Amino acid sequence: MFDPVEKLKQFIRHQSISADSKYKDGMQGAQRFVSELLGSLGFKVEVVKTDLHPIIFAQRGSDPSWPHVVIYGHYDVQPADPLELWKTPAFEPTIIGHRIYGRGAADNKGPLMANIAAVAELIEANPQLPLRISFLIEGEEEMGSPSFPKFLETHREQLQAADFVYLSDTALPRPDQVVITCGLRGLTLFDLIVETAKGDLHSGLHGGVLHNPIQALAEIIATLHLPDGRVNVPGFYDEVLDVHPWERDELKKLGVDEKAYKDFLGIEAFYTPPGFSPAEALRFQPTLEFNGIGGGYQGEGTKTVIPSKAFAKISCRLVPNQEPDKIKKLVIDTIKARAPKDVRLSFVDQHKGDPYVVVPPDRSNTPKDQSPVLAQAFRATEVAVKEVWGKPPVYLREGGSVPIIADIKRVTGLDSIMLGLFLPEDNLHAPNEGFDLGVMKRGTETTKRILAAVAKG
Amino acid sequence: MFDPVEKLKQFIRHQSISADSKYKDGMQGAQRFVSELLGSLGFKVEVVKTDLHPIIFAQRGSDPSWPHVVIYGHYDVQPADPLELWKTPAFEPTIIGHRIYGRGAADNKGPLMANIAAVAELIEANPQLPLRISFLIEGEEEMGSPSFPKFLETHREQLQAADFVYLSDTALPRPDQVVITCGLRGLTLFDLIVETAKGDLHSGLHGGVLHNPIQALAEIIATLHLPDGRVNVPGFYDEVLDVHPWERDELKKLGVDEKAYKDFLGIEAFYTPPGFSPAEALRFQPTLEFNGIGGGYQGEGTKTVIPSKAFAKISCRLVPNQEPDKIKKLVIDTIKARAPKDVRLSFVDQHKGDPYVVVPPDRSNTPKDQSPVLAQAFRATEVAVKEVWGKPPVYLREGGSVPIIADIKRVTGLDSIMLGLFLPEDNLHAPNEGFDLGVMKRGTETTKRILAAVAKG
């Protein structure tokens, strides 16, 4: 008998912090734990070496006529610092009431274990279940999945033969409302550096004869938005996917409380492009943000210096069908065209990720060539969520980015069904991360029903 | 027989770094050295306690009918870091060719010693010299002279009875061209802080719903200048002293090589207000500069954060007759009026200093009520410089700020004659500070002739 809570406890005890080489043992322990667990369920487990942390690729079922689902997850977790803010030990799973606490409980060990439990129960009940299942569980998600694209390339053929991807690594807004994430924003990031003089200058001896790079940088930045909140870069919105009325309707079902959201953020007023509510803007509109700025003296007191350079860290969140490289070029070209002519500009390339969208079946904009198995899985999800949670899910695009989902689509053509299982109070990436065991149980039951329905065909 | 070079060596050996409490002994040593030196010349020396480093106030001559000069200087020096860049030990004076190296050689121990030597030689030659001389030598100049204004208040009456101040703590552009500094810029400084959300936010989850504080700060900063280089704050230029034609003529005598200046700065082009050459702009025009800016993530790589705040360090260099507090209020009021309404602003007050101007006699704008002794001292300076250096001095306002000069004027009514003695290659505040012994000798001779002429009446 598979005990998912006990297994989750064991999983959490492995200190699998991928970004910190001190936790090599924890990473290896977590990898072996998952590999052995899947092996014990009859999966053929391949541990695929990467430059850093291996990817677990585990398969069952080889009849090519069976439907084929790829279940994604990750066994690595965020660092646990600052440790002094934890009320229970970060790597000693502790159950208090209906919640289990520990680093990784919600991101992603709990939700992944819910899906493994669903598969375990299905196979236990029916060892001949006519469903091909491939677990694809990486160990570098919290580092930005650097090895993942290469894995996709080397396993392209095997993955292309699958029908869809299923994962639980997104959010649940409330314990009674499931969200199926149908879209993610992409992103493109770069640094802008503005330089003037050869070195820092005394503002008394030389002030008044040259353009201050902080001023020039501010003058550039200030041109990049319109007062109404839109990004002021020609062509920026050209490829933006229209919002379909059903998407706005889904959002209304969620019932966003704008006053509460404003209070949560602690802002005086929202600042969204015309025609978009805050909840819409962060899902359906691209952004151009400044993640950091620096230059000159930043300490206490004063230093009467004219700095020689200043920089800004710029990122754009992108929506379908914006292309990261194209948008970056538009923004950089605009900056070059608008920058004062007496300063020198340079740019440092940072990472990027494609946006992603999948349209559930039976919508006005559902692609005509949508995979029948994907469509069936979506319909099964609707039914399962209604039965298990008492309410149908809402189908929403989200503001965040999970570049691997778009990478999977780009390389293999596979779409993803993303069943959110972590709650706002689960403290992802923060001290006192926890996971709701009731959600875990319902998640397991939901996944079981979806996979059973897909297997049945 | 007074040996100024030997005395300067002894003076330099005292490690009188005022800003670093580890150098308490050096500060005390330098103070005692100067006090004893002046005492040995017959001065009545008062060591005036302050909160930190005492001020030496040394007087000779008590006949109120004699003219009275106050000679200003400072016995403290800048820190010597980075020590590894010094070619000779920072506090072991070393003569190489016609130059002496050591921290403080040029700022201000060498020039001060030139003036003390002049006084020593005058008194030696004529112990009855009918000239009242007060040395006013502080130990906190490199810290911004925090105790000086209080000293001025407590010694107001004694100082008001003097005729003028004489000092050598300004620059010589070339060894063959003396500059008499006739004006200094003032300044006012403050920090501007822009805040939006309660805390840093994930740019995916919340990007697109609120004003980014870096953007808002940039939007504010970008309004503060006109494209032509002028400060775009209503009323900013209202009190700016007109430039008199003789001031532009003096500058022409200096023969500024704009190409060489541009290359020295390493800039693509000058950026000066219309109607002002670079050399004019930095002397005759006020500025609004950004000395620093910061906000969000500034490290390597990226962090997709919307910061909760951003700040800029702002300073204005002021020209006569701008008032620091009035200008600061104008700028802050302008910022408040132009800032986006959805962000919160706050301001941190920093220090300030008045601008200063003194007009030599016989100019179109010389005040009708100019002190005859001051006028005589100026005329004596012209003659002495012509005789000793072979060329008359040029009379220039400078871009830097020496707030104590304006403080002296404000509190005591005294004007200053500033004979520059340090050269561009003297590396003030930098490693390998040095001082030209030929300049020192000519400086001593010049001061001697000026004081002798003033004494003669």
Side-chain angles (χ1 to χ4, degrees):
Chain A
M1 181 64 195
F2 192 95
D3 180 346
V5 175
E6 183 50 39
K7 293 288 180 204
L8 175 56
K9 283 179 165 179
Q10 292 170 20
F11 196 10
I12 290 172
R13 284 194 188 100
H14 293 287
Q15 308 192 5
S16 50
I17 301 174
S18 51
D20 188 338
S21 57
K22 287 199 298 291
Y23 293 86
K24 209 179 146 189
D25 288 353
M27 283 302 295
Q28 205 166 63
Q31 183 270 109
R32 284 194 186 141
F33 170 79
V34 174
S35 296
E36 286 166 17
L37 182 60
L38 294 176
S40 74
L41 299 178
F43 277 73
K44 188 172 95 0
V45 179
E46 187 188 353
V47 178
V48 182
K49 284 226 167 81
T50 70
D51 287 344
L52 197 54
H53 303 299
I55 294 171
I56 303 164
F57 188 49
Q59 298 168 274
R60 84 168 294 272
S62 54
D63 187 330
S65 70
W66 292 357
H68 185 176
V69 56
V70 176
I71 301 179
Y72 170 87
H74 61 91
Y75 64 87
D76 65 325
V77 300
Q78 280 278 316
D81 320 279
L83 286 171
E84 65 276 15
L85 297 185
W86 284 80
K87 290 174 192 157
T88 63
F91 291 103
E92 183 45 54
T94 309
I95 293 176
I96 299 172
H98 59 100
R99 294 176 58 77
I100 183 166
Y101 291 91
R103 170 56 84 225
D107 182 15
N108 172 242
K109 289 176 175 176
L112 173 58
M113 193 55 71
N115 289 339
I116 294 175
V119 169
E121 291 174 24
L122 278 175
I123 295 175
E124 195 176 29
N126 176 11
Q128 303 311 318
L129 183 78
L131 179 66
R132 299 177 67 180
I133 304 173
S134 298
F135 275 100
L136 179 43
I137 303 174
E138 66 160 323
E140 298 177 359
E141 199 272 349
E142 300 296 356
M143 306 172 67
S145 305
S147 305
F148 202 75
K150 195 174 159 197
F151 171 87
L152 290 177
E153 295 294 345
T154 56
H155 290 69
R156 180 202 298 258
E157 280 187 33
Q158 282 162 285
L159 293 167
Q160 274 175 336
D163 292 298
F164 71 100
V165 175
Y166 183 83
L167 66 149
S168 295
D169 199 18
T170 49
L172 201 63
R174 295 188 300 268
D176 67 343
Q177 181 60 65
V178 170
V179 165
I180 306 296
T181 296
C182 290
L184 295 158
R185 290 200 285 191
L187 72 181
T188 180
L189 305 98
F190 65 93
D191 299 350
L192 161 63
I193 301 143
V194 175
E195 292 176 276
T196 53
K198 269 192 282 202
D200 290 359
L201 296 169
H202 188 292
S203 78
L205 300 185
H206 304 290
V209 311
L210 74 160
H211 214 132
N212 183 308
I214 294 172
Q215 179 190 331
L217 177 61
E219 287 165 350
I220 293 167
I221 288 176
T223 71
L224 296 177
H225 289 82
L226 295 168
D228 66 11
R230 277 178 298 169
V231 176
N232 183 23
V233 170
F236 190 79
Y237 293 95
D238 284 0
E239 320 289 337
V240 166
L241 186 69
D242 285 341
V243 185
H244 284 260
W246 71 264
E247 295 190 280
R248 296 195 195 249
D249 291 344
E250 289 290 310
L251 251 183
K252 277 179 206 140
K253 289 184 201 164
L254 196 63
V256 177
D257 179 342
E258 290 196 7
K259 170 78 171 63
Y261 185 38
K262 193 152 73 88
D263 290 349
F264 166 78
L265 296 173
I267 58 175
E268 308 292 317
F270 288 111
Y271 178 75
T272 56
F276 292 88
S277 72
E280 290 169 349
L282 69 88
R283 289 171 167 87
F284 305 140
Q285 285 283 282
T287 68
L288 190 158
E289 292 285 1
F290 308 96
N291 306 116
I293 193 165
Y297 181 69
Q298 299 187 35
E300 294 271 307
T302 61
K303 186 175 177 186
T304 49
V305 68
I306 302 171
S308 59
K309 67 174 174 181
F311 69 89
K313 289 186 170 275
I314 298 179
S315 66
C316 296
R317 293 278 170 176
L318 307 177
V319 297
N321 298 305
Q322 293 180 299
E323 292 169 31
D325 286 341
K326 191 171 168 187
I327 294 295
K328 181 161 66 190
K329 188 175 183 312
L330 284 179
V331 177
I332 287 179
D333 287 350
T334 300
I335 288 171
K336 285 178 179 168
R338 292 182 189 161
K341 296 304 165 240
D342 54 355
V343 304
R344 295 186 301 282
L345 304 180
S346 54
F347 300 87
V348 176
D349 228 13
Q350 301 285 4
H351 65 95
K352 64 175 177 175
D354 288 315
Y356 175 73
V357 65
V358 59
V359 183
D362 315 319
R363 299 300 199 278
S364 54
N365 59 330
T366 307
K368 300 250 179 303
D369 60 348
Q370 186 169 65
S371 143
V373 178
L374 175 69
Q376 189 205 9
F378 262 117
R379 290 189 191 109
T381 301
E382 169 99 8
V383 172
V385 169
K386 230 188 273 186
E387 289 171 356
V388 176
W389 305 74
K391 268 205 234 185
V394 297
Y395 298 88
L396 294 177
R397 288 199 257 156
E398 294 296 338
S401 304
V402 187
I404 55 152
I405 300 299
D407 289 345
I408 292 172
K409 173 76 177 179
R410 183 172 42 77
V411 177
T412 69
L414 296 183
D415 277 304
S416 292
I417 294 182
M418 292 174 257
L419 177 87
L421 287 186
F422 55 72
L423 288 164
E425 60 262 39
D426 285 353
N427 289 333
L428 273 70
H429 296 205
N432 304 306
E433 180 175 349
F435 189 49
D436 186 305
L437 294 172
V439 166
M440 184 174 183
K441 203 170 170 188
R442 290 195 291 281
T444 300
E445 185 59 29
T446 307
T447 300
K448 227 169 107 179
R449 290 177 188 227
I450 295 167
L451 298 184
V454 171
K456 206 170 159 196
Chain B
M1 179 67 196
F2 191 94
D3 180 347
V5 176
E6 184 49 39
K7 294 287 181 208
L8 175 56
K9 281 178 167 181
Q10 292 170 20
F11 197 9
I12 289 172
R13 285 196 188 99
H14 293 287
Q15 307 192 7
S16 51
I17 301 173
S18 51
D20 189 338
S21 57
K22 287 199 299 292
Y23 293 85
K24 209 179 146 188
D25 288 353
M27 283 302 297
Q28 204 166 63
Q31 182 270 107
R32 284 194 186 144
F33 170 80
V34 174
S35 296
E36 285 165 17
L37 182 61
L38 294 176
S40 74
L41 299 177
F43 277 75
K44 187 171 98 351
V45 179
E46 186 189 354
V47 177
V48 182
K49 284 228 168 79
T50 69
D51 287 342
L52 197 53
H53 303 300
I55 293 170
I56 303 165
F57 189 49
Q59 299 169 271
R60 84 165 299 268
S62 53
D63 187 329
S65 71
W66 291 357
H68 185 175
V69 56
V70 176
I71 301 179
Y72 170 87
H74 61 92
Y75 63 88
D76 64 327
V77 299
Q78 280 278 315
D81 319 279
L83 286 170
E84 66 276 13
L85 296 185
W86 284 80
K87 291 174 190 156
T88 64
F91 292 102
E92 182 45 52
T94 309
I95 294 175
I96 299 172
H98 58 101
R99 295 177 58 78
I100 183 167
Y101 292 91
R103 170 55 84 226
D107 182 15
N108 173 243
K109 290 176 173 176
L112 173 58
M113 193 54 71
N115 289 338
I116 293 175
V119 170
E121 291 174 24
L122 278 175
I123 296 174
E124 194 176 32
N126 176 11
Q128 305 312 318
L129 183 78
L131 179 65
R132 300 178 67 181
I133 303 173
S134 298
F135 275 100
L136 177 44
I137 303 174
E138 67 162 321
E140 299 177 358
E141 199 272 350
E142 301 296 357
M143 306 172 65
S145 305
S147 304
F148 202 76
K150 196 175 159 196
F151 170 88
L152 289 177
E153 295 294 347
T154 55
H155 291 68
R156 182 201 297 257
E157 280 189 33
Q158 282 161 284
L159 293 166
Q160 274 176 336
D163 293 297
F164 71 102
V165 175
Y166 182 84
L167 66 148
S168 295
D169 199 18
T170 48
L172 201 62
R174 294 187 301 267
D176 67 343
Q177 181 60 68
V178 170
V179 165
I180 305 296
T181 296
C182 290
L184 294 158
R185 290 199 285 192
L187 72 181
T188 178
L189 305 98
F190 65 92
D191 299 349
L192 161 64
I193 300 143
V194 175
E195 291 176 276
T196 53
K198 268 191 281 202
D200 290 359
L201 296 169
H202 189 292
S203 79
L205 301 185
H206 304 290
V209 311
L210 75 160
H211 215 131
N212 183 307
I214 294 173
Q215 179 189 330
L217 176 62
E219 287 164 351
I220 293 167
I221 288 176
T223 72
L224 296 177
H225 290 82
L226 295 168
D228 66 11
R230 276 178 298 169
V231 175
N232 183 22
V233 169
F236 189 80
Y237 293 95
D238 284 359
E239 321 288 338
V240 167
L241 185 70
D242 285 341
V243 185
H244 284 259
W246 72 263
E247 294 189 280
R248 296 193 194 250
D249 291 345
E250 290 291 310
L251 251 184
K252 277 179 205 138
K253 290 183 201 164
L254 196 62
V256 176
D257 178 342
E258 291 195 7
K259 170 77 173 61
Y261 186 36
K262 194 151 73 90
D263 290 348
F264 166 77
L265 297 172
I267 57 174
E268 309 292 317
F270 288 112
Y271 178 76
T272 56
F276 292 88
S277 73
E280 290 169 350
L282 70 88
R283 288 171 166 86
F284 305 140
Q285 285 283 283
T287 68
L288 190 158
E289 291 286 0
F290 308 96
N291 306 117
I293 193 164
Y297 181 70
Q298 299 187 35
E300 293 271 305
T302 62
K303 186 175 178 188
T304 49
V305 68
I306 302 171
S308 58
K309 67 175 172 179
F311 69 90
K313 290 188 169 272
I314 298 178
S315 66
C316 295
R317 292 278 171 177
L318 307 176
V319 297
N321 299 307
Q322 292 180 297
E323 291 169 31
D325 287 340
K326 190 170 168 187
I327 293 295
K328 182 161 65 189
K329 187 173 185 312
L330 283 180
V331 177
I332 287 178
D333 286 350
T334 301
I335 288 172
K336 285 179 179 166
R338 291 183 189 162
K341 296 305 164 238
D342 54 354
V343 304
R344 295 186 301 280
L345 304 181
S346 54
F347 300 88
V348 177
D349 228 13
Q350 302 284 3
H351 66 97
K352 64 175 177 175
D354 287 316
Y356 175 73
V357 65
V358 58
V359 182
D362 314 320
R363 299 299 198 280
S364 54
N365 58 329
T366 306
K368 301 251 180 304
D369 60 348
Q370 186 170 65
S371 141
V373 179
L374 175 70
Q376 187 203 11
F378 261 117
R379 289 188 191 108
T381 301
E382 169 98 8
V383 172
V385 169
K386 233 188 268 184
E387 289 171 354
V388 175
W389 305 74
K391 270 206 232 183
V394 296
Y395 298 87
L396 294 177
R397 288 199 256 156
E398 294 297 338
S401 304
V402 187
I404 55 151
I405 300 300
D407 288 344
I408 291 171
K409 173 77 178 180
R410 183 173 42 77
V411 177
T412 69
L414 297 183
D415 277 304
S416 292
I417 293 183
M418 293 174 257
L419 177 87
L421 287 186
F422 55 71
L423 290 164
E425 60 262 38
D426 285 353
N427 290 332
L428 272 69
H429 296 205
N432 303 306
E433 180 174 349
F435 188 50
D436 187 304
L437 294 173
V439 166
M440 184 175 182
K441 204 170 169 186
R442 291 196 290 281
T444 300
E445 186 58 30
T446 307
T447 299
K448 226 170 109 176
R449 290 177 188 227
I450 295 167
L451 298 185
V454 171
K456 207 172 160 192

